[in-house]
Amino acid sequence: MVRHAKGETDDAAWVWAPRRRVIAAGDLVVGYLPNAGNPRKVQRYAEEWADAAEQMAALDADCGITGHGDCVRGADAIRDELLTMAACLRHIVRHTLDGLNAGLRPDEIVESLAVPEHLANHPRLQPGYDRPEFICRNVIRRYGGWWDGYAANLLPAPAAVQAREITRLAGGVDALAARARELADSDLRLACHLAEWAFLTDPQSTTAQDCYAEVFGRRREAETSLMGKLAFSDPHRRAAAERAKAGR
């Protein structure tokens, strides 16, 4: 019996074999936090993903074949994983919708997201590929659009132009890069902004290149999700490309 679902895409499916009491869940079950907020992909469907998980949990299966990793065996283990996954997704969706309805900006909604400990600590819901924050942003995009709520960002100046002005006010690329390195020990997120501004201001600057690669390299090493690690690897590649252009 093949059943349609929405998850990573709007045409996902899972299979129920009642005589064998086996569910073939495909990528609706992967053994880690669902990939419901991939920042490089099109819309994902957190609510419908939770629906599918609850439908599968109700079947009392003995074996769950996952899209990645080991099968899940035993009715209790299968129900636990599916219902915990559904609860986690519904918590993120509810938090996001409550924030949108309250008129909060996307950044405020994401910053205030706190996944309950019993969900966040579940061994089959770890953020090895996706993150709760990414899922939250995907829900925001689905129901609130792409604008981040900051008026200047509706029709913004180009990022490089903004960076050059910030760098001028900071006293130059060297000053900005030095401050980025200083901040990296106490506020790595903020340090990344400074490092990126320095690089955008002068991509040919070896100081900016080295700072950009170094600070984001630390961010990459500290990141748990594969999607985050991939994104935080971009600065290293971009800095290397600028060095290659200059023959260094």
Side-chain angles (χ1 to χ4, degrees), residues 71-95:
C71 295
V72 185
R73 298 187 182 276
D76 290 343
I78 293 169
R79 278 195 305 272
D80 174 64
E81 175 161 359
L82 291 169
L83 293 178
T84 304
M85 180 204 308
C88 184
L89 291 171
R90 293 202 187 285
H91 173 82
I92 295 170
V93 171
R94 185 72 265 156
H95 169 85

PDB file of all heavy atoms in Angstrom, residues 71-95:
ATOM      1  N   CYS A  71      17.562   0.162   9.998  1.00  0.00           N
ATOM      2  CA  CYS A  71      16.122  -0.026  10.198  1.00  0.00           C
ATOM      3  C   CYS A  71      15.785   0.160  11.669  1.00  0.00           C
ATOM      4  O   CYS A  71      16.623  -0.018  12.553  1.00  0.00           O
ATOM      5  CB  CYS A  71      15.709  -1.432   9.756  1.00  0.00           C
ATOM      6  SG  CYS A  71      15.898  -1.750   7.999  1.00  0.00           S
ATOM      7  N   VAL A  72      14.536   0.518  11.918  1.00  0.00           N
ATOM      8  CA  VAL A  72      14.039   0.603  13.290  1.00  0.00           C
ATOM      9  C   VAL A  72      13.184  -0.627  13.534  1.00  0.00           C
ATOM     10  O   VAL A  72      12.269  -0.915  12.767  1.00  0.00           O
ATOM     11  CB  VAL A  72      13.200   1.884  13.500  1.00  0.00           C
ATOM     12  CG1 VAL A  72      12.796   2.012  14.947  1.00  0.00           C
ATOM     13  CG2 VAL A  72      13.979   3.108  13.048  1.00  0.00           C
ATOM     14  N   ARG A  73      13.464  -1.348  14.607  1.00  0.00           N
ATOM     15  CA  ARG A  73      12.749  -2.597  14.872  1.00  0.00           C
ATOM     16  C   ARG A  73      12.023  -2.526  16.208  1.00  0.00           C
ATOM     17  O   ARG A  73      12.547  -1.993  17.182  1.00  0.00           O
ATOM     18  CB  ARG A  73      13.717  -3.781  14.865  1.00  0.00           C
ATOM     19  CG  ARG A  73      14.403  -3.967  13.512  1.00  0.00           C
ATOM     20  CD  ARG A  73      15.237  -5.242  13.457  1.00  0.00           C
ATOM     21  NE  ARG A  73      15.914  -5.367  12.176  1.00  0.00           N
ATOM     22  CZ  ARG A  73      15.352  -5.868  11.091  1.00  0.00           C
ATOM     23  NH1 ARG A  73      14.110  -6.279  11.138  1.00  0.00           N
ATOM     24  NH2 ARG A  73      16.044  -5.954   9.953  1.00  0.00           N
ATOM     25  N   GLY A  74      10.813  -3.059  16.219  1.00  0.00           N
ATOM     26  CA  GLY A  74      10.006  -3.063  17.423  1.00  0.00           C
ATOM     27  C   GLY A  74       8.982  -1.950  17.411  1.00  0.00           C
ATOM     28  O   GLY A  74       9.310  -0.795  17.103  1.00  0.00           O
ATOM     29  N   ALA A  75       7.738  -2.308  17.744  1.00  0.00           N
ATOM     30  CA  ALA A  75       6.648  -1.338  17.665  1.00  0.00           C
ATOM     31  C   ALA A  75       6.877  -0.126  18.563  1.00  0.00           C
ATOM     32  O   ALA A  75       6.602   1.010  18.174  1.00  0.00           O
ATOM     33  CB  ALA A  75       5.326  -2.020  18.023  1.00  0.00           C
ATOM     34  N   ASP A  76       7.408  -0.381  19.760  1.00  0.00           N
ATOM     35  CA  ASP A  76       7.627   0.732  20.688  1.00  0.00           C
ATOM     36  C   ASP A  76       8.668   1.709  20.156  1.00  0.00           C
ATOM     37  O   ASP A  76       8.485   2.929  20.240  1.00  0.00           O
ATOM     38  CB  ASP A  76       8.068   0.202  22.056  1.00  0.00           C
ATOM     39  CG  ASP A  76       6.939  -0.513  22.796  1.00  0.00           C
ATOM     40  OD1 ASP A  76       5.763  -0.323  22.414  1.00  0.00           O
ATOM     41  OD2 ASP A  76       7.239  -1.261  23.745  1.00  0.00           O
ATOM     42  N   ALA A  77       9.772   1.188  19.614  1.00  0.00           N
ATOM     43  CA  ALA A  77      10.836   2.052  19.088  1.00  0.00           C
ATOM     44  C   ALA A  77      10.349   2.849  17.883  1.00  0.00           C
ATOM     45  O   ALA A  77      10.685   4.030  17.730  1.00  0.00           O
ATOM     46  CB  ALA A  77      12.055   1.210  18.710  1.00  0.00           C
ATOM     47  N   ILE A  78       9.557   2.209  17.036  1.00  0.00           N
ATOM     48  CA  ILE A  78       9.037   2.887  15.854  1.00  0.00           C
ATOM     49  C   ILE A  78       8.087   4.009  16.247  1.00  0.00           C
ATOM     50  O   ILE A  78       8.178   5.137  15.753  1.00  0.00           O
ATOM     51  CB  ILE A  78       8.349   1.881  14.915  1.00  0.00           C
ATOM     52  CG1 ILE A  78       9.387   0.915  14.338  1.00  0.00           C
ATOM     53  CG2 ILE A  78       7.603   2.599  13.789  1.00  0.00           C
ATOM     54  CD1 ILE A  78       8.787  -0.265  13.608  1.00  0.00           C
ATOM     55  N   ARG A  79       7.163   3.709  17.146  1.00  0.00           N
ATOM     56  CA  ARG A  79       6.223   4.741  17.612  1.00  0.00           C
ATOM     57  C   ARG A  79       6.966   5.895  18.278  1.00  0.00           C
ATOM     58  O   ARG A  79       6.643   7.065  18.075  1.00  0.00           O
ATOM     59  CB  ARG A  79       5.197   4.149  18.577  1.00  0.00           C
ATOM     60  CG  ARG A  79       4.031   3.452  17.906  1.00  0.00           C
ATOM     61  CD  ARG A  79       2.894   3.228  18.892  1.00  0.00           C
ATOM     62  NE  ARG A  79       3.345   2.493  20.073  1.00  0.00           N
ATOM     63  CZ  ARG A  79       3.373   1.163  20.161  1.00  0.00           C
ATOM     64  NH1 ARG A  79       2.969   0.422  19.136  1.00  0.00           N
ATOM     65  NH2 ARG A  79       3.801   0.568  21.255  1.00  0.00           N
ATOM     66  N   ASP A  80       7.955   5.549  19.102  1.00  0.00           N
ATOM     67  CA  ASP A  80       8.721   6.580  19.809  1.00  0.00           C
ATOM     68  C   ASP A  80       9.388   7.532  18.824  1.00  0.00           C
ATOM     69  O   ASP A  80       9.290   8.756  18.960  1.00  0.00           O
ATOM     70  CB  ASP A  80       9.771   5.927  20.708  1.00  0.00           C
ATOM     71  CG  ASP A  80      10.693   6.950  21.347  1.00  0.00           C
ATOM     72  OD1 ASP A  80      10.205   7.774  22.137  1.00  0.00           O
ATOM     73  OD2 ASP A  80      11.901   6.925  21.040  1.00  0.00           O
ATOM     74  N   GLU A  81      10.066   6.977  17.820  1.00  0.00           N
ATOM     75  CA  GLU A  81      10.752   7.845  16.858  1.00  0.00           C
ATOM     76  C   GLU A  81       9.774   8.696  16.073  1.00  0.00           C
ATOM     77  O   GLU A  81       9.962   9.914  15.920  1.00  0.00           O
ATOM     78  CB  GLU A  81      11.596   7.012  15.898  1.00  0.00           C
ATOM     79  CG  GLU A  81      12.239   7.858  14.809  1.00  0.00           C
ATOM     80  CD  GLU A  81      13.404   7.208  14.120  1.00  0.00           C
ATOM     81  OE1 GLU A  81      13.755   6.071  14.485  1.00  0.00           O
ATOM     82  OE2 GLU A  81      13.978   7.826  13.215  1.00  0.00           O
ATOM     83  N   LEU A  82       8.706   8.088  15.575  1.00  0.00           N
ATOM     84  CA  LEU A  82       7.772   8.815  14.725  1.00  0.00           C
ATOM     85  C   LEU A  82       7.012   9.887  15.498  1.00  0.00           C
ATOM     86  O   LEU A  82       6.855  11.018  15.020  1.00  0.00           O
ATOM     87  CB  LEU A  82       6.795   7.840  14.082  1.00  0.00           C
ATOM     88  CG  LEU A  82       7.397   6.892  13.037  1.00  0.00           C
ATOM     89  CD1 LEU A  82       6.398   5.799  12.669  1.00  0.00           C
ATOM     90  CD2 LEU A  82       7.824   7.664  11.792  1.00  0.00           C
ATOM     91  N   LEU A  83       6.549   9.558  16.681  1.00  0.00           N
ATOM     92  CA  LEU A  83       5.768  10.527  17.441  1.00  0.00           C
ATOM     93  C   LEU A  83       6.643  11.638  18.010  1.00  0.00           C
ATOM     94  O   LEU A  83       6.196  12.796  18.126  1.00  0.00           O
ATOM     95  CB  LEU A  83       4.994   9.821  18.557  1.00  0.00           C
ATOM     96  CG  LEU A  83       3.894   8.869  18.063  1.00  0.00           C
ATOM     97  CD1 LEU A  83       3.214   8.181  19.237  1.00  0.00           C
ATOM     98  CD2 LEU A  83       2.866   9.614  17.212  1.00  0.00           C
ATOM     99  N   THR A  84       7.884  11.306  18.359  1.00  0.00           N
ATOM    100  CA  THR A  84       8.800  12.343  18.819  1.00  0.00           C
ATOM    101  C   THR A  84       9.151  13.284  17.681  1.00  0.00           C
ATOM    102  O   THR A  84       9.206  14.513  17.848  1.00  0.00           O
ATOM    103  CB  THR A  84      10.081  11.718  19.400  1.00  0.00           C
ATOM    104  OG1 THR A  84       9.742  10.801  20.433  1.00  0.00           O
ATOM    105  CG2 THR A  84      10.980  12.792  19.986  1.00  0.00           C
ATOM    106  N   MET A  85       9.376  12.727  16.490  1.00  0.00           N
ATOM    107  CA  MET A  85       9.639  13.555  15.316  1.00  0.00           C
ATOM    108  C   MET A  85       8.466  14.485  15.038  1.00  0.00           C
ATOM    109  O   MET A  85       8.648  15.688  14.810  1.00  0.00           O
ATOM    110  CB  MET A  85       9.890  12.670  14.091  1.00  0.00           C
ATOM    111  CG  MET A  85      10.162  13.457  12.822  1.00  0.00           C
ATOM    112  SD  MET A  85       9.776  12.535  11.310  1.00  0.00           S
ATOM    113  CE  MET A  85      10.655  11.023  11.569  1.00  0.00           C
ATOM    114  N   ALA A  86       7.266  13.934  15.066  1.00  0.00           N
ATOM    115  CA  ALA A  86       6.083  14.749  14.805  1.00  0.00           C
ATOM    116  C   ALA A  86       5.942  15.857  15.846  1.00  0.00           C
ATOM    117  O   ALA A  86       5.630  17.005  15.509  1.00  0.00           O
ATOM    118  CB  ALA A  86       4.836  13.867  14.789  1.00  0.00           C
ATOM    119  N   ALA A  87       6.184  15.519  17.106  1.00  0.00           N
ATOM    120  CA  ALA A  87       6.065  16.520  18.168  1.00  0.00           C
ATOM    121  C   ALA A  87       7.083  17.636  17.992  1.00  0.00           C
ATOM    122  O   ALA A  87       6.775  18.819  18.221  1.00  0.00           O
ATOM    123  CB  ALA A  87       6.248  15.852  19.530  1.00  0.00           C
ATOM    124  N   CYS A  88       8.284  17.286  17.577  1.00  0.00           N
ATOM    125  CA  CYS A  88       9.327  18.288  17.366  1.00  0.00           C
ATOM    126  C   CYS A  88       8.947  19.229  16.223  1.00  0.00           C
ATOM    127  O   CYS A  88       9.031  20.456  16.348  1.00  0.00           O
ATOM    128  CB  CYS A  88      10.651  17.598  17.079  1.00  0.00           C
ATOM    129  SG  CYS A  88      12.051  18.728  16.907  1.00  0.00           S
ATOM    130  N   LEU A  89       8.511  18.663  15.116  1.00  0.00           N
ATOM    131  CA  LEU A  89       8.107  19.484  13.976  1.00  0.00           C
ATOM    132  C   LEU A  89       6.929  20.385  14.333  1.00  0.00           C
ATOM    133  O   LEU A  89       6.908  21.577  13.985  1.00  0.00           O
ATOM    134  CB  LEU A  89       7.756  18.597  12.786  1.00  0.00           C
ATOM    135  CG  LEU A  89       8.931  17.858  12.131  1.00  0.00           C
ATOM    136  CD1 LEU A  89       8.415  16.850  11.105  1.00  0.00           C
ATOM    137  CD2 LEU A  89       9.895  18.841  11.483  1.00  0.00           C
ATOM    138  N   ARG A  90       5.949  19.831  15.030  1.00  0.00           N
ATOM    139  CA  ARG A  90       4.774  20.635  15.396  1.00  0.00           C
ATOM    140  C   ARG A  90       5.150  21.754  16.374  1.00  0.00           C
ATOM    141  O   ARG A  90       4.574  22.850  16.321  1.00  0.00           O
ATOM    142  CB  ARG A  90       3.682  19.742  15.966  1.00  0.00           C
ATOM    143  CG  ARG A  90       3.098  18.783  14.937  1.00  0.00           C
ATOM    144  CD  ARG A  90       1.720  18.294  15.306  1.00  0.00           C
ATOM    145  NE  ARG A  90       1.250  17.268  14.398  1.00  0.00           N
ATOM    146  CZ  ARG A  90       0.810  17.497  13.162  1.00  0.00           C
ATOM    147  NH1 ARG A  90       0.789  18.738  12.687  1.00  0.00           N
ATOM    148  NH2 ARG A  90       0.388  16.497  12.401  1.00  0.00           N
ATOM    149  N   HIS A  91       6.094  21.476  17.255  1.00  0.00           N
ATOM    150  CA  HIS A  91       6.537  22.520  18.184  1.00  0.00           C
ATOM    151  C   HIS A  91       7.159  23.689  17.417  1.00  0.00           C
ATOM    152  O   HIS A  91       6.859  24.863  17.685  1.00  0.00           O
ATOM    153  CB  HIS A  91       7.558  21.954  19.177  1.00  0.00           C
ATOM    154  CG  HIS A  91       8.172  23.001  20.053  1.00  0.00           C
ATOM    155  ND1 HIS A  91       7.558  23.488  21.191  1.00  0.00           N
ATOM    156  CD2 HIS A  91       9.345  23.707  19.932  1.00  0.00           C
ATOM    157  CE1 HIS A  91       8.312  24.425  21.739  1.00  0.00           C
ATOM    158  NE2 HIS A  91       9.395  24.575  20.997  1.00  0.00           N
ATOM    159  N   ILE A  92       8.016  23.381  16.445  1.00  0.00           N
ATOM    160  CA  ILE A  92       8.669  24.434  15.667  1.00  0.00           C
ATOM    161  C   ILE A  92       7.645  25.221  14.851  1.00  0.00           C
ATOM    162  O   ILE A  92       7.689  26.453  14.801  1.00  0.00           O
ATOM    163  CB  ILE A  92       9.747  23.825  14.759  1.00  0.00           C
ATOM    164  CG1 ILE A  92      10.871  23.201  15.609  1.00  0.00           C
ATOM    165  CG2 ILE A  92      10.317  24.882  13.813  1.00  0.00           C
ATOM    166  CD1 ILE A  92      11.865  22.376  14.815  1.00  0.00           C
ATOM    167  N   VAL A  93       6.711  24.502  14.238  1.00  0.00           N
ATOM    168  CA  VAL A  93       5.684  25.171  13.442  1.00  0.00           C
ATOM    169  C   VAL A  93       4.827  26.078  14.325  1.00  0.00           C
ATOM    170  O   VAL A  93       4.559  27.234  13.983  1.00  0.00           O
ATOM    171  CB  VAL A  93       4.801  24.137  12.709  1.00  0.00           C
ATOM    172  CG1 VAL A  93       3.591  24.815  12.066  1.00  0.00           C
ATOM    173  CG2 VAL A  93       5.615  23.407  11.639  1.00  0.00           C
ATOM    174  N   ARG A  94       4.398  25.568  15.474  1.00  0.00           N
ATOM    175  CA  ARG A  94       3.542  26.354  16.358  1.00  0.00           C
ATOM    176  C   ARG A  94       4.260  27.600  16.861  1.00  0.00           C
ATOM    177  O   ARG A  94       3.690  28.710  16.888  1.00  0.00           O
ATOM    178  CB  ARG A  94       3.119  25.492  17.552  1.00  0.00           C
ATOM    179  CG  ARG A  94       2.124  26.141  18.517  1.00  0.00           C
ATOM    180  CD  ARG A  94       0.751  26.232  17.878  1.00  0.00           C
ATOM    181  NE  ARG A  94       0.508  27.533  17.250  1.00  0.00           N
ATOM    182  CZ  ARG A  94      -0.360  27.734  16.280  1.00  0.00           C
ATOM    183  NH1 ARG A  94      -1.073  26.726  15.801  1.00  0.00           N
ATOM    184  NH2 ARG A  94      -0.544  28.935  15.763  1.00  0.00           N
ATOM    185  N   HIS A  95       5.510  27.445  17.247  1.00  0.00           N
ATOM    186  CA  HIS A  95       6.306  28.585  17.703  1.00  0.00           C
ATOM    187  C   HIS A  95       6.413  29.634  16.599  1.00  0.00           C
ATOM    188  O   HIS A  95       6.264  30.836  16.851  1.00  0.00           O
ATOM    189  CB  HIS A  95       7.709  28.111  18.104  1.00  0.00           C
ATOM    190  CG  HIS A  95       8.675  29.230  18.332  1.00  0.00           C
ATOM    191  ND1 HIS A  95       8.780  29.894  19.540  1.00  0.00           N
ATOM    192  CD2 HIS A  95       9.574  29.829  17.495  1.00  0.00           C
ATOM    193  CE1 HIS A  95       9.686  30.850  19.438  1.00  0.00           C
ATOM    194  NE2 HIS A  95      10.190  30.825  18.214  1.00  0.00           N
TER     195      HIS A  95
END
